[in-house]
């Protein structure tokens, strides 16, 4: 028996076992790297879709008119003319698209989570005020336009509609992509339709701060543009839709931006774009595709936690007065600040951190 301790058979067995352990170790490491790259790619595809898909598809279709495939472009634009008002009626959501695996990779990259604090009645309609805008509202998209964070299970019977710039729905192909996720135009016609002709259980998510708020988005800053934003309160009163304050901790952390001072030429250009086109161009950056040490369009992987607050019961007033609007707007601002203060320390902020309301 003693002679077997140093035998070639035992040595070979140990070598094989060691080699197998090395293989499994390398496989695990590769799997981890592949998972991370899939997460990066899933986020990048949405960022590029958001920034260039509409323009790119418009150029391609116009070019197609000049080729032998011109009939394809004619058929698409003909169908587009007949389908033009579909976004105003809530679009054409697809549960299949909302449940794509790519959105789970998108969620896990940051990661993003949705926190429910109160139940929502399916017999009521709601307007969620989403804060802050950030650069792209990535938390709003992931939580309410996909099922990655299981919004339909957390709020059963509630249909979320994320509202965004109406101009996006004039872009071929991009409009189909947006509608498949339950995204709709943020204009009065659409909101009136969803809150009055689409039954109950509708939740319209409005990023209240809009382009103005995105201009002040930067890591470490918790500020909202809300003090003079009262149109969403008026719409809620006209339809008797309850207001739901919603705050996304970490939304401002995922991109770094060049902030132009008031009075500078850069801020002047941004305000002109905002006034006449509806959005404000930002100079921002995240990390590179293959390395977090380089600059690129991929956002930084910082946690985003969206907390949905307690609904504020709103009466239905066909012709709300300014006094009515001011009253419920004040209630909403107070509820948002209370929500922020209650949850801030849970998600990495100091007790002394204050929400700035501009």
């Amino acid at each position: 028996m003693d002679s077997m301790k140093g035998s070639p058979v035992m040595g070979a067995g140990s070598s094989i076992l060691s080699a197998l352990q090395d293989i499994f170790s390398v496989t695990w490491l590769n799997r981890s790297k592949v998972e991370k790259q899939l997460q990066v790619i899933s986020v990048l595809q949405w960022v590029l879709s958001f920034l260039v898909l509409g323009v790119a598809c418009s150029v391609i279709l116009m070019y197609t008119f000049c080729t032998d495939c011109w009939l394809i472009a004619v058929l698409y634009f003909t169908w587009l003319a007949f389908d033009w008002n579909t976004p105003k009626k809530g679009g054409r959501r697809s549960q299949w698209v909302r449940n794509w695996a790519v959105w789970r990779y998108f969620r896990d990259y940051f990661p993003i989570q949705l926190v429910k604090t109160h139940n929502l009645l399916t017999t009521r309609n709601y307007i969620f005020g989403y804060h802050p805008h950030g650069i792209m509202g990535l938390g709003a998209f992931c939580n309410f336009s996909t099922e990655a964070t299981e919004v339909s299970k957390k709020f059963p019977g509630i249909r979320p509609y994320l509202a965004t710039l109406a101009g996006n729905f004039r872009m071929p192909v991009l409009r189909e992509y947006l509608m498949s996720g339950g995204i709709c135009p943020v204009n009065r016609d659409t909101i009136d339709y969803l809150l009055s002709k689409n039954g109950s259980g509708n939740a319209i998510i409005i990023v209240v701060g809009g382009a103005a708020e995105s201009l002040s988005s930067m890591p470490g800053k918790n500020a909202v543009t809300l003090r003079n934003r009262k149109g969403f309160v008026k719409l809620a009163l006209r339809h008797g839709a309850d207001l739901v304050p919603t705050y996304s901790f970490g939304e401002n952390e995922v991109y770094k931006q060049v902030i132009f001072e008031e009075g500078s030429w850069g801020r002047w250009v941004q305000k002109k774009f905002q006034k006449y086109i509806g959005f404000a161009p930002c100079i921002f950056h995240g990390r590179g595709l293959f390395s977090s040490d380089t600059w690129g369009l991929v956002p930084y992987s910082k946690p985003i936690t969206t907390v949905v607050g307690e609904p504020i019961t709103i009466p239905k007033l066909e012709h709300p007065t300014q006094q009515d609007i001011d009253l419920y707007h004040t209630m909403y601002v107070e509820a948002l600040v209370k929500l922020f203060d209650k949850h801030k320390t849970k998600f990495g902020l100091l007790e002394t951190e204050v929400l700035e309301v501009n």
Side-chain angles (χ1 to χ4, degrees):
M1 293 293 289
D2 292 339
S3 63
M4 290 185 65
K5 290 181 180 179
S7 69
V9 176
M10 291 295 291
S14 298
S15 299
I16 293 171
L17 180 60
S18 177
L20 286 173
Q21 289 175 336
D22 290 341
I23 290 171
F24 285 124
S25 176
V26 171
T27 302
W28 181 86
L29 286 172
N30 287 340
R31 183 178 298 174
S32 176
K33 290 180 179 179
V34 168
E35 284 279 324
K36 191 61 180 178
Q37 284 304 315
L38 286 173
Q39 292 170 9
V40 170
I41 292 168
S42 70
V43 174
L44 182 61
Q45 69 82 25
W46 169 247
V47 170
L48 293 178
S49 297
F50 180 83
L51 293 176
V52 302
L53 179 62
V55 174
C57 289
S58 298
V59 171
I60 291 171
L61 281 169
M62 294 303 295
Y63 172 75
T64 305
F65 269 120
C66 305
T67 69
D68 293 338
C69 299
W70 60 269
L71 185 58
I72 295 174
V74 170
L75 290 173
Y76 180 82
F77 280 113
T78 301
W79 176 81
L80 187 62
F82 282 102
D83 194 59
W84 191 252
N85 290 322
T86 298
K88 296 180 182 179
K89 297 180 180 179
R92 195 168 32 246
R93 76 173 55 214
S94 165
Q95 286 302 115
W96 176 64
V97 173
R98 286 174 62 90
N99 281 284
W100 276 355
V102 68
W103 307 132
R104 294 192 289 276
Y105 286 111
F106 184 105
R107 172 200 65 198
D108 293 340
Y109 170 78
F110 296 93
I112 295 174
Q113 63 173 319
L114 179 66
V115 176
K116 170 186 175 180
T117 62
H118 291 79
N119 292 325
L120 299 181
L121 300 175
T122 58
T123 56
R124 300 286 293 174
N125 284 323
Y126 300 92
I127 293 179
F128 285 33
Y130 183 92
H131 314 269
H133 184 287
I135 297 295
M136 293 188 188
L138 296 171
F141 169 75
C142 184
N143 284 310
F144 301 112
S145 295
T146 80
E147 292 298 328
T149 55
E150 300 185 327
V151 62
S152 294
K153 291 182 179 179
K154 291 177 180 176
F155 299 103
I158 301 297
R159 293 181 299 278
Y161 294 89
L162 177 60
T164 188
L165 289 175
N168 289 323
F169 296 90
R170 302 187 186 104
M171 299 286 189
V173 183
L174 175 63
R175 69 191 293 274
E176 325 302 337
Y177 197 17
L178 296 178
M179 284 194 293
S180 67
I183 302 177
C184 66
V186 60
N187 56 35
R188 181 172 172 175
D189 289 344
T190 304
I191 295 172
D192 282 344
Y193 180 88
L194 291 174
L195 295 179
S196 63
K197 299 179 181 179
N198 201 45
S200 60
N202 302 292
I204 302 173
I205 296 87
I206 300 177
V207 187
V208 179
E213 193 171 86
S214 69
L215 296 180
S216 61
S217 171
M218 60 185 296
K221 186 172 184 178
N222 288 286
V224 297
T225 302
L226 179 59
R227 197 171 300 282
N228 296 315
R229 300 290 174 110
K230 301 181 180 180
F232 73 106
V233 178
K234 184 177 181 179
L235 283 169
L237 284 165
R238 288 181 62 246
H239 295 283
D242 294 346
L243 289 171
V244 183
T246 305
Y247 196 85
S248 249
F249 294 91
E251 184 71 63
N252 284 342
E253 307 299 315
V254 297
Y255 279 114
K256 295 178 181 178
Q257 179 184 188
V258 176
I259 304 293
F260 292 102
E261 297 294 330
E262 288 293 336
S264 66
W265 68 269
R267 183 53 64 101
W268 180 84
V269 169
Q270 289 176 324
K271 286 187 173 180
K272 289 299 181 182
F273 265 82
Q274 180 185 337
K275 181 178 179 179
Y276 294 109
I277 302 179
F279 75 94
C282 302
I283 299 177
F284 64 92
H285 73 85
R287 52 157 287 181
L289 177 60
F290 299 107
S291 172
S292 59
D293 296 325
T294 58
W295 287 9
L297 290 175
V298 180
Y300 294 106
S301 54
K302 304 289 185 179
I304 298 176
T305 304
T306 303
V307 183
V308 179
E310 181 179 3
I312 302 168
T313 303
I314 303 294
K316 185 174 183 179
L317 304 174
E318 189 172 347
H319 301 289
T321 65
Q322 190 60 48
Q323 186 177 3
D324 296 325
I325 296 169
D326 291 342
L327 171 64
Y328 285 99
H329 181 267
T330 300
M331 291 173 61
Y332 178 86
V333 173
E334 291 174 351
L336 179 65
V337 172
K338 182 179 178 182
L339 180 72
F340 176 86
D341 289 339
K342 182 177 180 180
H343 294 275
K344 60 187 177 183
T345 57
K346 300 176 185 176
F347 305 115
L349 298 180
L350 299 175
E351 184 63 43
T352 55
E353 187 73 33
V354 176
L355 179 63
E356 180 183 333
V357 180
N358 300 314

